[in-house]
Structures are given as C-alpha cells and as structure tokens.
Amino acid sequence: MYQHTAIWEKINLPHTWNKTDVLDQVPGYRRGIGWYEKEIFIPEVSVDMDYVLHFEGVNIKSEVYVNGEKAGGHIGGYVGFDVDITPFVYKGKNNLIQVKADNSYDPYVVPSQKSDFAIYGGITRNVWLNVLPKTHFVGMLIQTPEVSKETARTSVRLKIKNENAIENFKINLVIKDANGKPVVEKNSKEKLDFGENSIQLDLPVIKNPNLWSPSAPYLYTIEANLVYDEKVIDKIKERIGYRWYEFKEHDGFYLNGERLLLRGTHRHEDLAGYGNAIPDSLHRKDIEMIKSMGANFIRLAHYPQAPEIYRACDELGLLVWDENPWCRGGVGPKEWKENTKRIFQEMILQNYNHPSIILWSIGNESDWMPDFPGGDNPDSLKAFAKELHQLAKKLDPYRYTVTRKFPAAQDVVDVFSPSIWSGWYSDVYKNYEKTITKARDTYKRLFHAEYGGDSHAGRHTENPINGDGKIILEGGDEPINKIQLNSIANIGDWSESYIVDLFDWYLHVTENLDWFSGSAQWIFRDFVTPLRPENPIPYVNQKGLVDRSNKPKDAYYVFKSYWTNEPKFCYIESHTWTERIGKENELKEVNVFSNCDEVELVVNGVSYGKLKKDINKYPACGLSWNVKFQVGKNIIEAIGYNVTEKVAYDSMTINYTTQKNGRPDEIILKKERLKNGNYLITAYAVDKNGKRCIDYEERVYFAALSGGKLIDNLGTPNGSCVIEMANGKALIEFKHIPLQKGIVEVRNQDFKGTFITIED
C-alpha cells in the first residue's frame, strides 16, 4: 500500500519540471523523482468494463498507483505504454491516480547521460483513460506487402482481448477512401479464446490505388468492427497510405517508382517555454513549418517522438527516419540490452502503421563514450546491432534499418550515414562533393544525416571564412575529440553570414547530383544541451534554422529558396544585418534568396538590374549583386518576377559607414514597449564617440534589480539573461510591475554596469 503526502502544485499535462532549470546558470538540472496526482470519478455502470490508462510518454521511468496500490509502470521515456487499472478502481467513487516519474541518472536506460541533449523529467506527453468492453481490440498492425500503380495488397493483424465466456464473433474489416467511401471489405467469423488473441486477415486487392507521397499524402482509413449477435461491441480504426520505395545501391532513393531527392532536417522535442512538454498544436506547427520550408523528409532525433508528430507527417507529407534512443554510451550488460531491445520493439509496434515512416534507426553514435567497461568493443557492438536489425526485420520486413556514425554497424543495417561535417567540425565546405562522392563508393546505401554548424542570430561579418577555408584536412569524418581539432567550429565566428554560405554551397551541390539519395540538415530548431555551457547562448545548441522560439534565422530562407515553389518570396540577406562597414565606393555583395524566376535589386531608388535564378550558380543561385552603398541610410528592395509579373517583394534599411568603431567604452541601454505589455531592453556596446562596436562579441549579463522580472531561461536571443553580443548588441525582455520603478542592469568584466529605469 503506497501513501504519499506533499504540497501539490496544480499543473496541466504535458508537463516537465525541467522547463527552466536546464537553462539557468547553475550547472546541471534536476534529475530525480516527481509525483503527479489526480482524482477521477468512475461511475457505476450496468456492464463490466475495462479501464486502461494510456501514457504517451513519461520520462524516463515510471510507476503508477491507483488508490494506493501499484497498478503498473514503465522503463523508457520516449514510447507510450498502457496500465490496466481495472482491478484497482472503485466504481461510483473518486479514484486517486498517482504517478511516480523519475529521470534520475540510470546507465541501464537509453539514451546515455552523455548524449548532447537534456533528458527532461515528468509526464511529458498526453495521458488518456480508455474505457473498453470486456472483449475489445488491443491493437491493429497493418502491412502493405505489395503496392504498385495498378494494385495494392493489405494484410491486417488484430490483437483482441476476450474476458467473456463468449467465443464466437464476427470481424468486419473495411477500407475507406479519403472521402469515407468504402473501397474493399472483408467479413470473417472467428472463435476467440479467453485472454489474448492474435488474428491475421488479408483484405481484397485494391485496384488503381491512390498512392501516398510527400506531394500527395493520400490516406485511406481501415476500420475493424468486432460484432456479436449482430451488434458492434468494439471498433478500431487506423489511417494508412499505399507507397513503395527503394534505396538503390550506390544510387538514389526511389518512391513509387520515381527518383525522389530526400530533402530533410532533424527535430528535437524541445521548445522555448515548454521544454519537451509540448502540446499537440505546437508539435503540429513544427511539422507545418518544416513542410513549408520545402522539406520532404525528417529524422526524429534521437528518440521516438509524440504521436501527433507522426500523424502530422502522414497528413502533410514528410518521410520519417524514426530512431531508437540508443544514443552514445556503447553497449551494456544484460539488463541494459533487455531495456534497449524492448524500447526499440515498442517504438516499432506503436508507430507501425504510419506510411510516412521509411527507416527504423537502431541508434545514433552508439559506440561513443561507453558507460560500461568494454562497452566500446567493436565485436560486442556489432553483435548487438545485429540483434536490433534482426528484431526490426522480424517485426517489419518491409522497411529499411539505418544508423548514423556507428562504424561497427555499417555493414549490418540496410542504410548507413557516416559523419560528414565538411566546413564545421572538419574539412572545408567546398570539399563536400568530393567527400560525399567517396562515401557513395564506400557504403552500399548512403544517406547523409547531419551537416551544418552553429549560428548566433544577428551576428554577421563582412569577411566570413570562405569555402576554401583555413583548414587543409580532408575526408570529412568528424573526430571524436573536437578539442584537438583545428575546425571552424572552434576558430570560426559563429556568424549567420558563414552558415548561410555553407548551406548555400551544400544545396548548390546536392540539388545537382543525379545519384544522391538525400540528406538532412542538423537541426531545424535550436535546443537545450547540458554539454555546451560556453556557447553564445549558454546550454543551447545553436545549429537550428530557427531559434528556440521558432523565429527563422537567415539560413531558413536559404533552404526555402531551393526547395519551395509556392508561395513566391524574396529575402534579402540579412534583415538583422543593419550595420555595415567598408571603404567609400567599395563594392559590397548583396544576396537575395528567392524562389522566383527572376529578381531585381533596387538600392536607394536605383536599379541594379534583374538576374535570373539558376541553381547551377553560387552564391544564392546567381541572385547576387555587387553594390556601392552611400554613407548613412540605404534602402534596399528586392522585387521577384515570374516572367513579367511581380510576385514577391522584400525591403530593408541598412546604415553604412566608412569609419571603423573605436575600442568599446561603455554599454548603453534602450527600451521599447512591446505589444504584450513587456519591455524589450537592448544593450549596445559603443566607443567613446557613441558609435556601436559591431566587432564586440563578449558575453554580457542582464539582471532585474527591482520592479519586475526578466523573461529568461528560454534559450532564445531575447530570452537569455546571459548571452554573447551579436555585432555589439544584446537583448532581453522585461516584465514590468505597474506603478513600481523597474531597474534593469547589464554588465560584464569589461564594464562596471549600466542601468535603465522603467516607470509607467
């Protein structure tokens, strides 16, 4: 009998207790136990029912108690599980549900604690109470073993729990099209044993099926009805898509018989203000943003994600790499292996029916940094990789297995991704084509997961490291010990200017390779990591195309310019690069990223001419002009055309100077009232003449001394009280208490501090 007393905080699910402490300036974050409690009323009913709690995810271990009695639990934080609470409930009364969630350090549960992301604690996804008849469906697995443009075969495996004395039932299966019209149907008489039953049924062939693809994500619905005495006593339904695909050896990817270049990115479950406890509406918004960028592929890093993500990928059209949480840590002993295999199996079975999924990943960087003695032994690693591969093939013979940066498994899985970070952790980005071509010859089926680099929003440079770089390393493989590596990750300025050039070059290459299967940029959104306290935004991996609040950086528009046709847009590089410096009459490069056929650049009312977009040209697909700025204010306009029709427009203003700033002399603060009622406080480093020091990049510290609080611990450019300046500028949001004097301070080791007063 379990009893627990405490002072409770009222919360909504999903929930994590690590929403802010993963980002505060105290090293580490809370790793331990949290309790959740809720009373639910179970009414008296005339028919016996089963009561099953379904948890979409509890990080990272859990125990579930009902009225003080342990009803179940789970090990593994990124997969769903059921707890049958029927024996423990009181009908006609309130029932106390208590959940113990535990994200304590545990080397026996993947992912490894050495992984480069936060392992949040809590009930981090939705919870459902399912009320079911005593004979009911437990699940439905759908296979499409043969699909072509002419026909599609469907096989369904039903799991049924029977707790009645009744044996004879009828099962009705029907497939409906997207409009709800029945396409094929099957009726079967079945004798059910008491307890668990598994039934395999093949449906009639569908002729001329509507095929699922990223450009046309057509979904059918399969409904199963359990019938007794001509009455439907339970039903279950799933949506499916018909498609076939192939990674050809040393060649490209083919979907429904046609080559498709996989254009992808990655996603962590991590969002400013939420941690990983993200509501479904915002899960879906992520997929909508990724789709609107033009992507057709997503790798879910580095664990299975919320059910809403898979639903959105099915509906919107994104092909999915789904990943077992075996991230780093090497191979472990028996208990570790049992947990890791079970979690992998649960991932496959719960996500089985989604047509968007094409790859089951056994893990990522799995041989790095072993948690157990001998955990990096290549033979042991390969043997366990084979176990996972064989398990995946047994459960699902129709999908490929994959892994990334795990040499011991490169000949085990169907598809392999080496670690290629040309231009960041090694090599230079202009060597990318040579490196990826070598990889094609080395690996039977190649997909390139992870490339890119960090960028600090708003940081720009007139002279970014070019594609020839300062590095003579070749080969592209990322060394394990980055500290010893003379890489751009270590010596670069982390400017948006450089990362835009890198992505522009990569896409310029991959969009023109006729043999390439595809790649996925790392990563769509900045995310929290306990391993990076010294980053410009401490504890944030800043490789995202958008910041942690989903605000696009410049790089987002680079991808959009290559990958989308509609809607038409122009984006001048860059809207956060408003202060530029150079010589008088010096030609300065202005790039426009656009999906229009032709773009005209106008500076201060003078046209610099129209240029045609050409993906064979670099930079910016040829939409690049050399411009003479006038000292002071310059208005830049970009006009996009399709033939002669104006279809897109963008503009910005920059201030151009020929005078370099002097040494930083002080920090000044300015305030701006926002629509939400808060104040945006901007700090500028200036020289003794008040000129902004655009080369000042040191870390500054904001503090609210009175009259309100900073909106911080968000890991965003304006939601971090400790942050490096970007071109001599840093921001923080301040929530003011009305009628009180608000005082905000900024300081660092170079300056004694500056204060600004806010009074309504």
Side-chain angles (χ1 to χ4, degrees):
M1 186 85 174
Y2 173 77
Q3 290 184 333
H4 182 77
T5 58
I7 299 174
W8 296 96
E9 174 189 353
K10 188 173 182 179
I11 57 97
N12 292 317
L13 296 180
H15 175 268
T16 176
W17 57 74
N18 298 121
K19 183 172 69 174
T20 59
D21 71 342
V22 290
L23 284 160
D24 64 26
Q25 297 311 298
V26 179
Y29 56 102
R30 182 175 179 267
R31 304 292 300 277
I33 294 170
W35 284 91
Y36 295 83
E37 183 174 288
K38 183 178 179 63
E39 285 191 342
I40 57 174
F41 179 76
I42 304 292
E44 288 276 9
V45 291
S46 58
V47 179
D48 283 344
M49 307 293 285
D50 280 351
Y51 301 90
V52 179
L53 284 172
H54 177 70
F55 295 83
E56 293 182 357
V58 181
N59 262 18
I60 195 162
K61 296 179 292 185
S62 61
E63 296 176 3
V64 179
Y65 295 82
V66 179
N67 297 320
E69 299 287 342
K70 185 175 180 180
H74 188 260
I75 296 175
Y78 302 97
V79 285
F81 62 96
D82 289 334
V83 176
D84 186 348
I85 64 172
T86 310
F88 307 98
V89 300
Y90 305 138
K91 296 175 184 177
K93 296 180 181 180
N94 283 330
N95 291 262
L96 181 63
I97 310 296
Q98 293 169 310
V99 179
K100 175 186 176 183
D102 185 357
N103 71 332
S104 300
Y105 168 71
D106 189 339
Y108 294 93
V109 184
V110 290
S112 170
Q113 314 300 311
K114 297 166 183 172
S115 297
D116 198 3
F117 52 90
I119 300 177
Y120 291 92
I123 302 179
T124 55
R125 296 180 186 158
N126 299 323
V127 182
W128 306 90
L129 174 61
N130 295 319
V131 181
L132 304 163
K134 283 296 181 180
T135 300
H136 61 265
F137 291 113
V138 177
M140 175 167 62
L141 294 182
I142 304 161
Q143 293 179 336
T144 55
E146 292 182 18
V147 179
S148 69
K149 293 179 181 179
E150 292 78 29
T151 59
R153 286 183 52 213
T154 312
S155 182
V156 176
R157 186 162 77 247
L158 295 164
K159 287 186 68 176
I160 303 171
K161 184 178 181 181
N162 181 22
E163 293 185 323
N164 287 306
I166 306 167
E167 295 181 342
N168 297 314
F169 293 85
K170 184 174 78 172
I171 295 174
N172 167 259
L173 279 173
V174 59
I175 300 179
K176 297 180 179 180
D177 65 16
N179 296 316
K181 180 180 178 181
V183 178
V184 295
E185 189 171 2
K186 184 181 182 73
N187 290 293
S188 176
K189 292 182 179 180
E190 300 291 341
K191 183 177 180 180
L192 299 183
D193 296 329
F194 188 86
E196 294 282 346
N197 294 262
S198 181
I199 297 171
Q200 185 87 19
L201 295 173
D202 295 325
L203 284 99
V205 170
I206 295 177
K207 295 182 178 180
N208 302 315
N210 290 290
L211 298 177
W212 186 99
S213 70
S215 59
Y218 192 96
L219 293 171
Y220 289 84
T221 300
I222 296 186
E223 293 183 3
N225 296 287
L226 188 61
V227 181
Y228 176 73
D229 195 23
E230 302 304 316
K231 293 180 181 178
V232 175
I233 61 172
D234 194 25
K235 64 172 54 181
I236 187 173
K237 63 181 179 180
E238 292 272 3
R239 290 191 298 176
I240 63 163
Y242 293 99
R243 79 286 181 274
W244 81 96
Y245 61 94
E246 180 183 8
F247 284 87
K248 293 192 176 181
E249 294 186 12
H250 307 290
D251 198 358
F253 173 80
Y254 290 77
L255 178 68
N256 300 331
E258 299 178 2
R259 180 178 179 254
L260 178 68
L261 177 62
L262 296 174
R263 299 165 166 149
T265 187
H266 300 70
R267 176 188 187 263
H268 265 299
E269 283 190 338
D270 188 295
L271 181 65
Y274 295 90
N276 74 333
I278 304 172
D280 281 353
S281 61
L282 297 183
H283 280 306
R284 179 166 287 263
K285 182 180 178 182
D286 284 355
I287 301 304
E288 290 171 346
M289 285 188 70
I290 291 168
K291 183 70 177 180
S292 68
M293 185 179 78
N296 59 23
F297 178 92
I298 185 170
R299 177 187 178 209
L300 301 178
H302 291 295
Y303 40 78
Q305 300 192 7
E308 182 64 21
I309 290 297
Y310 302 94
R311 286 192 290 266
C313 289
D314 289 345
E315 293 169 9
L316 299 176
L318 282 177
L319 293 158
V320 173
W321 164 324
D322 205 11
E323 188 150 286
N324 188 27
W326 183 19
C327 185
R328 301 186 179 176
V331 67
K334 181 180 178 181
E335 181 184 347
W336 178 93
K337 288 179 181 177
E338 289 175 351
N339 284 333
T340 304
K341 287 178 68 174
R342 179 184 44 75
I343 291 168
F344 188 44
Q345 176 168 310
E346 289 172 344
M347 178 189 88
I348 292 173
L349 293 179
Q350 73 179 22
N351 296 331
Y352 202 96
N353 298 334
H354 293 285
S356 54
I357 297 174
I358 58 172
L359 292 166
W360 298 124
S361 171
I362 66 171
N364 173 72
E365 299 177 354
S366 303
D367 56 350
W368 267 29
M369 309 174 192
D371 289 322
F372 299 94
D376 56 353
N377 179 277
D379 293 336
S380 299
L381 286 161
K382 186 169 186 175
F384 189 65
K386 283 183 177 179
E387 287 188 47
L388 293 179
H389 169 79
Q390 291 165 359
L391 174 61
K393 290 300 183 182
K394 179 182 177 181
L395 295 170
D396 183 4
Y398 303 108
R399 286 186 175 98
Y400 289 89
T401 60
V402 69
T403 192
R404 177 195 166 271
K405 200 180 190 311
F406 185 11
Q410 69 185 50
D411 297 323
V412 173
V413 293
D414 300 316
V415 181
F416 185 71
S417 174
S419 183
I420 299 173
W421 284 83
S422 300
W424 194 249
Y425 290 129
S426 64
D427 211 348
V428 292
Y429 62 72
K430 282 195 175 178
N431 279 341
Y432 177 62
E433 183 172 356
K434 179 169 63 177
T435 303
I436 201 69
T437 301
K438 180 181 177 182
R440 174 191 64 171
D441 298 334
T442 303
Y443 308 107
K444 187 166 61 175
R445 296 186 187 91
L446 170 73
F447 180 86
H448 182 200
E450 298 194 23
Y451 65 90
D454 292 87
S455 60
H456 190 40
R459 183 175 287 177
H460 303 276
T461 178
E462 298 288 343
N463 299 296
I465 298 170
N466 64 25
D468 298 318
K470 299 178 181 179
I471 300 170
I472 60 174
L473 297 175
E474 286 190 14
D477 277 0
E478 172 195 353
I480 290 177
N481 191 345
K482 301 184 183 75
I483 296 171
Q484 296 176 355
L485 177 66
N486 183 27
S487 69
I488 292 172
N490 290 333
I491 68 172
D493 54 23
W494 289 36
S495 69
E496 292 197 72
S497 308
Y498 175 77
I499 215 64
V500 160
D501 291 348
L502 181 149
F503 284 136
D504 192 9
W505 183 266
Y506 267 66
L507 294 174
H508 160 74
V509 169
T510 57
E511 292 291 317
N512 289 293
L513 293 176
D514 60 5
W515 58 264
F516 191 50
S517 64
S519 56
Q521 169 272 344
W522 181 268
I523 185 172
F524 177 67
R525 180 172 57 230
D526 291 352
F527 64 95
V528 171
T529 168
L531 304 187
R532 300 174 186 254
E534 296 181 359
N535 278 8
I537 302 177
Y539 302 110
V540 176
N541 186 312
Q542 294 177 244
K543 294 183 179 70
L545 302 179
V546 302
D547 70 22
R548 199 167 172 260
S549 67
N550 277 343
K551 183 178 180 181
K553 304 181 194 178
D554 292 343
Y556 178 86
Y557 299 100
V558 179
F559 284 84
K560 194 171 181 178
S561 71
Y562 276 93
W563 288 353
T564 64
N565 291 318
E566 297 291 341
K568 297 300 181 183
F569 82 98
C570 294
Y571 180 79
I572 301 167
E573 184 197 359
S574 156
H575 284 230
T576 58
W577 196 6
T578 57
E579 298 288 328
R580 298 194 63 171
I581 187 170
K583 299 176 182 177
E584 192 170 353
N585 295 320
E586 181 182 359
L587 291 174
K588 289 290 186 180
E589 184 179 81
V590 174
N591 295 325
V592 176
F593 290 94
S594 176
N595 57 5
C596 298
D597 296 337
E598 196 172 30
V599 174
E600 180 182 14
L601 190 75
V602 178
V603 180
N604 299 324
V606 177
S607 175
Y608 274 73
K610 295 180 181 178
L611 294 175
K612 291 185 179 295
K613 181 181 178 181
D614 183 350
I615 64 169
N616 293 293
K617 293 182 178 180
Y618 176 87
C621 298
L623 302 178
S624 181
W625 292 260
N626 290 316
V627 172
K628 289 183 180 179
F629 292 128
Q630 64 188 21
V631 174
K633 181 180 177 181
N634 293 262
I635 298 174
I636 308 174
E637 300 170 279
I639 306 161
Y641 294 86
N642 274 5
V643 191
T644 60
E645 182 185 5
K646 295 181 180 180
V647 292
Y649 177 80
D650 190 28
S651 67
M652 64 171 292
T653 301
I654 71 163
N655 180 56
Y656 186 73
T657 180
T658 58
Q659 301 296 317
K660 292 185 178 181
N661 57 265
R663 292 173 60 86
D665 185 67
E666 66 173 329
I667 295 178
I668 61 172
L669 289 172
K670 295 185 178 180
K671 62 185 178 182
E672 175 191 351
R673 191 71 178 265
L674 300 174
K675 291 181 180 179
N676 63 9
N678 296 339
Y679 284 88
L680 185 66
I681 309 298
T682 305
Y684 297 95
V686 298
D687 64 16
K688 63 182 180 180
N689 297 315
K691 188 176 183 62
R692 179 172 156 189
C693 299
I694 59 175
D695 55 353
Y696 190 76
E697 299 178 347
E698 298 302 314
R699 184 175 286 193
V700 294
Y701 301 79
F702 290 97
L705 302 186
S706 66
K709 66 176 183 178
L710 300 178
I711 308 299
D712 64 352
N713 295 330
L714 295 177
T716 63
N718 65 344
S720 305
C721 64
V722 179
I723 189 171
E724 286 184 10
M725 283 197 157
N727 288 38
K729 177 181 176 181
L731 309 95
I732 192 70
E733 196 168 330
F734 175 72
K735 184 176 181 63
H736 182 227
I737 300 172
L739 305 178
Q740 292 190 22
K741 179 187 285 189
I743 300 177
V744 176
E745 175 197 25
V746 65
R747 67 167 66 232
N748 66 8
Q749 288 187 346
D750 294 335
F751 302 100
K752 294 180 180 179
T754 303
F755 306 86
I756 192 169
T757 300
I758 297 99
E759 294 181 287
D760 288 337

